[in-house]
Structure formats: C-alpha cells, structure tokens
Amino acid sequence: MQERTLRIDAGRFTVRLAESDEDVAAAQRLRYRVFVEEMGATPSPDDRALRRERDAFDPYFDHLLLIDNHAKPADPLDGVAGVYRLLRGDVAKQGCGFYGESEYDLTKIKEYPRGTVELGRSCVDIAHRGGAAMHLLWTGLGRYVAEHSIEIMFGVASFHGSDPTKLAMPLAYLHHNHLAPEDLRVRTREEFFVPMDLIPADQVVRAEAMRQIPPLIKAYIRLGGSVGEGAYVDHAFNTVDVCLLMDTSRMVDRYREFYQRASRGATDRILG
C-alpha cells in the first residue's frame, strides 16, 4: 500500500484508500461474501475459517474502499460496502509483478513507457448495487489515476460460470467489436488460451450479447475500453475471464465532471 491522501466524502458514503491492516481485512471480508458465498469461488481452509478472500498480492495493492457511514455492523470487518484493489506499474516492477500475469502475457503492458495500473477484485455489497456505490468507486478511481498520472488501466474481469460455450455470444461480441489495438493487445497465455470468436461476426446478436455481459464490463466498454485476445477459465473462482484495457483520459474526465456537478449541487445525475 502507498500514500493515503485519497478521500471523498459524499453524504452517506466515504471513498478512501485502506489505511490499516484492519481496513484490508474488511475488504477481504467483502470479497469473501461476494466471490465465495455468492459466486462459488473455492476458498482455502484458512480463508474459510476467517471468512476472508486473500492472496499473496494483497500487500502490494492499494485498496480503494467504499464505506457506508450509516452501517452499524456487529463485526467491524463487515462495514465495507465496496472495494477495488489497485497495483501501479511502478510498484509491480519493484518485484511483485502483476496478478494478471498468471493468466495473460502482459509484456506489452510491462513495456508501456508511461503510468499503468492493474485493477482487480472489484465488488459491491448486494445491498448497495444499482445505486450510487459503483459510481462513487469509479469517481475515486478517477481521482487515483489523475493523481498518479496513469494513462492505461487494465485488469481481469469475469463472467460468472466456467463454461465458455455458454458465453459464446458475449465473448464473440467483445472480440469482434472491442478488441484492443495491436500495441496494447495482451493475449491469454498459450497453455490457457480460450478463443473468444466462437461465433462469426455476422451471426452475433448485439442485444443478446449485451444481456449477458456483466454491468462492470459494460461500464468499461461504454467508456472506451477494449479487451485482450482470448479468454481464461478460472475454475477456482468459477469464472470465465477477459482482460480489459482502457485509456484513462475518459475516466479522468468523469472524475472532473463529478466535482463540477457536485459544486453546483447536482450530483444525482452522476450518482444514480
């Protein structure tokens, strides 16, 4: 974890970076509820006992937290309503590497000459989905990339379920319409490569594809995001993964728009 200056107070919610081991543990508790209890990921025995989803990369990431200031949980670790974890390229180069390297050949990202950040483990508590929560997390993310002069953000995003054939339509839609430019087109490692173009472009039904694409992936695409080549089946997490990449200039504009509207008392148009 790095500097702890980022903080956004927005009435009921606060967005800030984790400041302590307990903050990180609270993020891991929310991840456990979402990825293990909801989505069926397989935890280790220790994680199951603690009800925390953890891995060896957590100490290197910044953890962006969404806190519901109205919540009064019996266990303090249950007080986080949303999380993102963020690993800047300059930190990864110090020795830990990127989490996504276990799934994708990230050479093009590692050789990119300007600021990058890997995103991961994004989730929102079920009680706060469909409202302001994700918008606020994205606002915090926009501020983070602006403060650190980050030009490219990327990360693994997931479809629920581990059978790519059941996701042929949305995977093909992303491949045929939103494939990353060649200079940033990362590729699934050869031993894990799952083709995404399972359906020819002229047979893709956009409405059906969009119905199956998770909201987070849709949000990246709306902001100009693209995908790497090939998918990855993560059996431990019960997901099919794609690697999303995005130029951050649109995210920074979103962050600035939020503050311009907030100063005029018009945040509803951004937050819900």
Side-chain angles (χ1 to χ4, degrees):
M1 293 182 292
Q2 308 299 316
E3 56 267 46
R4 306 286 183 265
T5 59
L6 192 160
R7 184 183 181 96
I8 299 170
D9 292 303
R12 175 176 179 173
F13 296 103
T14 295
V15 176
R16 63 173 175 82
L17 293 178
E19 299 171 345
S20 65
D21 290 342
E22 185 176 72
D23 279 346
V24 175
Q28 293 166 340
R29 172 64 56 80
L30 175 60
R31 284 158 39 182
Y32 187 92
R33 294 203 306 268
V34 173
F35 297 127
V36 176
E37 296 180 346
E38 286 189 47
M39 297 182 64
T42 303
S44 70
D46 288 345
D47 285 0
R48 187 183 299 277
L50 294 171
R51 294 186 61 241
R52 288 161 56 186
E53 190 278 307
R54 305 174 295 173
D55 70 19
F57 283 86
D58 276 327
Y60 302 100
F61 276 79
D62 281 330
H63 299 262
L64 187 66
L65 311 178
L66 175 75
I67 298 168
D68 181 356
N69 298 314
H70 292 179
K72 306 294 182 184
D75 186 335
L77 295 188
D78 290 326
V80 170
V83 299
Y84 243 122
R85 71 176 191 177
L86 316 169
L87 180 63
R88 300 199 308 275
D90 57 337
V91 176
K93 288 177 182 177
Q94 293 174 14
C96 66
F98 289 118
Y99 169 83
E101 288 184 88
S102 63
E103 302 182 12
Y104 287 84
D105 178 354
L106 298 179
T107 301
K108 291 180 178 180
I109 296 294
K110 293 164 69 175
E111 294 178 349
Y112 191 77
R114 299 181 180 86
T116 62
V117 66
E118 181 179 31
L119 314 179
R121 296 300 200 271
S122 172
C123 59
V124 173
D125 185 83
I126 192 170
H128 297 290
R129 293 172 198 164
M134 200 67 215
H135 294 282
L136 279 168
L137 278 173
W138 273 61
T139 300
L141 181 57
R143 177 168 167 176
Y144 185 93
V145 301
E147 289 184 352
H148 293 287
S149 301
I150 290 165
E151 293 193 5
I152 298 295
M153 60 184 193
F154 71 98
V156 171
S158 302
F159 289 83
H160 185 51
S162 57
D163 184 353
T165 63
K166 294 181 179 179
L167 299 166
M169 189 69 73
L171 292 176
Y173 171 80
L174 292 173
H175 176 89
H176 292 306
N177 295 281
H178 298 285
L179 200 60
E182 183 63 36
D183 62 334
L184 285 174
R185 190 179 302 166
V186 302
R187 181 180 169 89
T188 309
R189 290 173 52 179
E190 289 302 322
E191 64 267 37
F192 305 125
F193 188 87
V194 175
M196 295 172 63
D197 54 345
L198 301 175
I199 298 175
D202 60 0
Q203 295 180 25
V204 171
V205 180
R206 183 181 184 278
E208 175 63 18
M210 295 301 288
R211 185 185 66 79
Q212 295 186 61
I213 294 176
L216 182 62
I217 297 178
K218 287 180 185 176
Y220 281 111
I221 296 303
R222 283 198 298 269
L223 286 177
S226 56
V227 297
E229 186 172 0
Y232 172 90
V233 177
D234 189 334
H235 294 285
F237 269 81
N238 189 32
T239 61
V240 173
D241 298 343
V242 296
C243 188
L244 285 163
L245 306 101
M246 196 173 84
D247 183 312
T248 62
S249 60
R250 295 191 183 193
M251 175 66 73
V252 173
D253 289 344
R254 179 83 167 180
Y255 159 68
R256 289 173 178 160
E257 181 186 10
F258 170 81
Y259 275 96
Q260 289 168 356
R261 292 189 177 188
S263 68
R264 300 196 301 269
T267 57
D268 285 349
R269 283 173 290 175
I270 294 293
L271 301 182

